[in-house]
Amino acid sequence: MLLHIVARGRIGRGPEAELVDRYARRIAWPFRVTELPDSGGRMPALEPNSALIALDEKGEQLGSVELARKLERWRDDGRREARFLIGAADGHAAADRDTADLLLAFGRATWPHLMARAMLAEQLWRATSILANHPYHRDG
């Protein structure tokens, strides 16, 4: 299953981009990042039988193991892609929120988009590591 981050805005070459790249290289599953302009720009077509996850401050707050189990279920159900949307400063279009399989929050705080991208890449690496029984992750 492809793990795909679709984010509004350009990350450039700062420390956040280095973090995203660091975790992207560690993820053993197919992984892609697509950047869109802050406003406008067409979302790549979503393959049928894909999961759509929108990062949203009002979404569910999942622990790393819970996120790993969701990815595992989607993968085992034959989902082709898990697409994670990071919106622009104004958030997501209503259609994206309404059609999302999951609204996901990294706590109740509002995070800068560049940090959210790095945090998501880390959590995807961690989730795939958990599913591979990698000894790095420790439960409680």
Side-chain angles (χ1 to χ4, degrees):
M1 178 173 69
L2 171 66
L3 301 176
H4 188 180
I5 297 174
V6 177
R8 294 271 174 203
R10 306 271 183 232
I11 198 167
R13 292 185 176 205
E16 298 89 351
E18 290 176 20
L19 279 173
V20 171
D21 289 344
R22 178 185 303 170
Y23 289 112
R25 286 191 303 271
R26 294 179 182 179
I27 295 172
W29 294 19
F31 179 78
R32 180 183 322 154
V33 175
T34 300
E35 293 182 329
L36 300 173
D38 284 331
S39 60
R42 296 189 72 147
M43 180 83 59
L46 187 64
E47 292 283 334
N49 198 25
S50 295
L52 185 64
I53 304 96
L55 270 65
D56 187 281
E57 64 189 8
K58 296 176 184 158
E60 288 185 58
Q61 297 179 45
L62 301 179
S64 298
V65 172
E66 292 171 297
L67 178 59
R69 296 298 167 227
K70 280 206 180 282
L71 291 175
E72 181 179 46
R73 260 190 315 276
W74 290 328
R75 180 198 63 196
D76 293 351
D77 287 345
R79 300 282 183 116
R80 293 177 173 204
E81 177 182 345
R83 180 174 294 180
F84 294 83
L85 302 180
I86 299 175
D90 294 336
H92 299 288
D96 291 333
R97 287 180 50 84
D98 293 344
T99 59
D101 295 283
L102 173 67
L103 296 179
L104 178 64
F106 289 142
R108 292 193 289 195
T110 301
W111 293 96
H113 294 104
L114 299 180
M115 289 298 298
R117 198 177 310 187
M119 291 166 43
L120 177 56
E122 191 279 341
Q123 282 300 294
L124 293 175
W125 165 74
R126 185 176 299 276
T128 57
S129 296
I130 289 167
L131 294 176
N133 295 315
H134 190 280
Y136 176 77
H137 182 76
R138 310 269 192 280
D139 285 327

